[in-house]
Amino acid sequence: MTALAAANDVIVAESTPVEITTVVAAGLPINRCISGQAFGGEVDGHERGECKRMLTPRNINEMVSAGLGPLTYRLRTELAGEVWHWNPQGRWSDQAHRCGYWTSNSSPGKLIDISYGYRLPRRGNTIDQANDDDYSRIDDGDENSYWKSNPYLDPHFTGKSEEASRQWIVIDLGAPEPVNAIKIEWGSPYARDYRIEYWTGRDPMHLHADEKAEWRVFPAGSVHDSSGGDVTSRLTSAPLQVRFVRVVMTRSSHTCAETSSDIRDSLGFSVRELALGQLDEAGTFQDFVRHAPARHEQSVIYVSSTDPWHRAQDIDYKTEQPGLDFIFRSSLTRNLPVLVPTGLLYDTP
């Protein structure tokens, strides 16, 4: 197919699919860009000690001299799957034990020069986009640790149906394996209704537009009215060669492992450990999941959300955020508005 163009006029010959080639006459502008509005600066989280080293008065003057426009404040803690204490002063939902769900004080206090994120003890993802040095509690080999989904995504808060509020776990075995069974060690709350699916294509976490693939439920992969506990289920009579398997949870038991007056403890879903593999006629289970409390030693797990519950001891000093007071008192803002992240509905990815 060919196209003829002069300045902004384009003539295209008919073809299926249609492709357009535009030729712009030299010397004629296509558009105009006002650099002070189109280009801005960004501050981000860094590794320990880097904020003090980078954001010196001299360096800030050099940054401002670049003439960039409005400033954006970016969170490294979100990339790490951590909870951010933008103000170190605040209150825990369980103040006596310094744990639970955190709310930073909104009233002014001591100037905030540095702020930190807190690791999540109920983490589900193996991989994160920051230091990538934490791990999933679903396959860490410890039955006392567990993943829990974000309670704010439960129908209690969303007002949506259970199917619309479903949560999921994706297990990546690393390579296709002959799978016919799964073992789930449920925590509390557990899933009353759930289904086990397998992916028919290459990679469901990095989709390819030219690939026709889908999640399919195993022949015996639908479970209703489960009572939780440790459950081993045969998914199919003949093993299927699969790499990615997904557990989709649609109805919660809304139970709590311990006595608690905080309803968030009983919302969502919880899994202590998960195995996936081949079950023979003698009842021997061959597990293809690698279990270890280490990022590069366990099988990769992806989850739909993670409970932001955490403890004071979970503070991550390896990563620091420039304090909001520090940023707004500096000349980095150029007296212009600053785009600042705010958790409105729930605050962890």
Side-chain angles (χ1 to χ4, degrees):
M1 194 222 79
T2 61
L4 302 177
N8 292 329
D9 296 326
V10 180
I11 303 174
V12 182
E14 293 185 359
S15 176
T16 303
V18 174
E19 297 180 0
I20 298 177
T21 300
T22 301
V23 179
V24 180
L28 296 180
I30 298 176
N31 207 335
R32 290 188 302 171
C33 174
I34 303 175
S35 61
Q37 298 176 4
F39 297 99
E42 176 191 88
V43 292
D44 202 344
H46 299 280
E47 295 189 15
R48 188 171 189 174
E50 288 189 353
C51 289
K52 182 178 180 180
R53 179 177 61 82
M54 295 169 58
L55 299 175
T56 63
R58 179 179 177 180
N59 286 348
I60 288 177
N61 287 335
E62 293 294 330
M63 295 173 190
V64 173
S65 71
L68 297 176
L71 193 67
T72 295
Y73 187 102
R74 187 169 181 260
L75 279 181
R76 188 177 176 90
T77 54
E78 289 285 324
L79 296 176
E82 298 180 348
V83 171
W84 180 40
H85 288 203
W86 67 267
N87 185 348
Q89 303 300 316
R91 184 170 181 82
W92 301 94
S93 59
D94 185 351
Q95 191 67 21
H97 298 94
R98 292 175 56 77
C99 66
Y101 301 93
W102 171 264
T103 304
S104 287
N105 283 346
S106 58
S107 57
K110 183 179 179 181
L111 291 179
I112 306 168
D113 289 330
I114 292 290
S115 57
Y116 295 97
Y118 287 68
R119 297 180 185 271
L120 299 179
R122 299 171 180 178
R123 175 181 169 122
N125 287 317
T126 296
I127 300 171
D128 67 59
Q129 305 302 316
N131 291 351
D132 199 20
D133 58 358
D134 209 339
Y135 56 90
S136 174
R137 304 312 192 262
I138 293 175
D139 59 345
D140 63 349
D142 183 356
E143 296 182 354
N144 293 315
S145 68
Y146 60 91
W147 161 77
K148 184 174 177 290
S149 66
N150 196 309
Y152 297 111
L153 299 181
D154 188 90
H156 175 85
F157 286 110
T158 66
K160 297 181 179 180
S161 67
E162 292 177 323
E163 178 64 29
S165 302
R166 66 186 182 273
Q167 297 293 294
W168 48 259
I169 301 168
V170 171
I171 307 101
D172 179 3
L173 295 177
E177 299 286 359
V179 172
N180 73 347
I182 189 171
K183 179 180 180 181
I184 303 177
E185 299 179 26
W186 292 103
S188 191
Y190 56 88
R192 298 276 293 168
D193 294 346
Y194 61 95
R195 59 182 182 269
I196 315 299
E197 305 171 335
Y198 64 94
W199 183 248
T200 61
R202 286 179 290 173
D203 187 350
M205 311 313 294
H206 304 86
L207 296 177
H208 305 275
D210 60 340
E211 182 180 271
K212 293 184 179 179
E214 62 182 353
W215 289 106
R216 293 181 183 174
V217 182
F218 279 93
S222 295
V223 179
H224 300 283
D225 297 323
S226 170
S227 56
D230 298 350
V231 182
T232 300
S233 304
R234 188 182 293 273
L235 301 171
T236 177
S237 56
L240 298 177
Q241 288 287 334
V242 296
R243 173 179 172 179
F244 294 93
V245 172
R246 183 170 73 168
V247 181
V248 181
M249 297 152 281
T250 54
R251 184 163 66 101
S252 172
S253 64
H254 288 156
T255 54
C256 185
E258 300 177 2
T259 301
S260 173
S261 58
D262 193 327
I263 193 171
R264 291 169 289 191
D265 289 328
S266 61
L267 299 180
F269 307 92
S270 175
V271 171
R272 293 182 290 114
E273 203 73 15
L274 187 150
L276 186 67
Q278 192 168 7
L279 183 67
D280 64 21
E281 296 301 325
T284 302
F285 190 97
Q286 181 182 2
D287 186 10
F288 299 130
V289 175
R290 292 180 292 115
H291 303 259
R295 154 72 175 90
H296 295 285
E297 296 178 19
Q298 65 178 201
S299 294
V300 173
I301 299 286
Y302 303 92
V303 295
S304 51
S305 70
T306 292
D307 191 342
W309 187 99
H310 60 293
R311 307 158 297 185
Q313 68 195 59
D314 296 316
I315 188 169
D316 181 7
Y317 286 115
K318 288 185 177 180
T319 300
E320 59 188 25
Q321 293 282 149
L324 291 179
D325 287 322
F326 176 86
I327 295 300
F328 279 95
R329 286 163 61 89
S330 75
S331 58
L332 284 170
T333 67
R334 297 168 55 88
N335 294 318
L336 296 172
V338 178
L339 183 65
V340 178
T342 304
L344 292 178
L345 301 179
Y346 65 101
D347 195 47
T348 53

